[in-house]
Amino acid sequence: MKQIYTKLPISVALLTCIVCALGFGLIALWVSDQQVWHFDHKIITAIGQLESPFMTRLMKCFTIIGSGLPVVIIILIAMFVLYSVLGHRRELLFLAVAVLGSVLLNTVLKMLFRRARPEINRIIEANGYSFPSGHSMTAFSMYAALTFLLWKHVPSRIGRILLVLLSSLLIVTIGTSRIYLGVHYPSDVVGGYFMSGCWMAACIWFYQRYEERMLPLRTKSTA
């Protein structure tokens, strides 16, 4: 019974990786064939109706959180806590690979698809290609990785639920901010979520496979 329990998360991670890869492939096909315009236009119109000075300031704050220096600061703080407070070392490598790999993957995909950014309702300026959204991919990978690493250290079910809700809220809001500010299409954000979901599931799968293989060695060394 114990063997089934330890292998279940790995099976779920692998299945999630496959489902997210298929989801990204479908979005990418729609983008390449220009069949996604109705979907994008409908969501852009709905989000545009929320525009106000307060909402614009709020969305700018969230878009800042999902890029550049704030991301670096969050990762450095997380690494300090993992290493100095919780005494983890392998988790540092997992977090670095998850986030940096997501950034590199986003760069490659942008160069591959070369989708121009939207020109309507542009509130801020942004450079580079549009698909998939780099902010969405970085936010998803970073907060999903942190949630995965911190999960076992949260003792209560309510605490774990709050951890997941907070991470999900940050991921969704950062992605929404890119649509609101007019620098990404909704399909850019959804595609970014799918690709990061695929990447994170793959990272978790490899990490847990490694942990399973190393467990007997650690048991022998402590015996």
Side-chain angles (χ1 to χ4, degrees):
M1 194 68 182
K2 184 178 180 181
Q3 184 178 9
I4 296 176
Y5 176 78
T6 56
K7 288 187 176 181
L8 181 60
I10 295 180
S11 301
V12 171
L14 185 59
L15 179 61
T16 301
C17 181
I18 295 172
V19 171
C20 288
L22 292 174
F24 177 81
L26 182 60
I27 294 292
L29 182 62
W30 285 349
V31 169
S32 300
D33 291 344
Q34 303 293 324
Q35 296 179 358
V36 76
W37 168 245
H38 180 71
F39 168 78
D40 284 336
H41 180 71
K42 193 170 183 180
I43 295 180
I44 288 174
T45 301
I47 292 178
Q49 293 176 356
L50 302 174
E51 187 173 340
S52 68
F54 169 77
M55 187 62 69
T56 298
R57 289 194 296 270
L58 183 64
M59 290 295 104
K60 285 182 178 180
C61 288
F62 276 105
T63 208
I64 290 173
I65 292 174
S67 65
L69 185 58
V71 169
V72 174
I73 292 174
I74 292 171
I75 292 175
L76 289 177
I77 292 173
M79 286 183 168
F80 173 79
V81 172
L82 287 171
Y83 185 83
S84 300
V85 179
L86 301 179
H88 296 319
R89 292 169 177 80
R90 293 181 304 276
E91 285 81 353
L92 298 180
L93 180 60
F94 172 84
L95 181 60
V97 169
V99 178
L100 294 179
S102 179
V103 173
L104 291 175
L105 183 58
N106 178 260
T107 302
V108 172
L109 291 171
K110 281 182 181 289
M111 294 300 298
L112 178 63
F113 288 97
R114 295 177 177 269
R115 188 187 194 188
R117 292 183 183 272
E119 296 293 336
I120 57 174
N121 298 330
R122 182 75 68 87
I123 297 177
I124 65 172
E125 292 301 319
N127 299 318
Y129 296 112
S130 187
F131 180 84
S133 166
H135 278 67
S136 300
M137 286 189 64
T138 301
F140 193 110
S141 298
M142 180 173 65
Y143 291 114
L146 290 175
T147 299
F148 173 73
L149 293 176
L150 294 175
W151 177 269
K152 62 183 177 182
H153 299 288
V154 179
S156 67
R157 178 176 296 181
I158 294 178
R160 291 178 173 180
I161 292 174
L162 290 176
L163 176 65
V164 172
L165 288 178
L166 178 60
S167 298
S168 300
L169 179 62
L170 288 169
I171 292 169
V172 172
T173 307
I174 289 172
T176 303
S177 74
R178 304 303 285 170
I179 303 171
Y180 178 93
L181 296 172
V183 292
H184 276 297
Y185 295 103
S187 52
D188 298 333
V189 174
V190 175
Y193 288 157
F194 272 124
M195 180 48 64
S196 280
C198 176
W199 172 247
M200 280 307 307
C203 288
I204 291 172
W205 186 81
F206 279 109
Y207 176 79
Q208 291 186 328
R209 289 272 294 181
Y210 173 81
E211 286 291 297
E212 276 194 352
R213 291 179 179 179
M214 292 300 295
L215 183 60
L217 297 179
R218 295 194 199 102
T219 303
K220 289 181 180 179
S221 64
T222 57

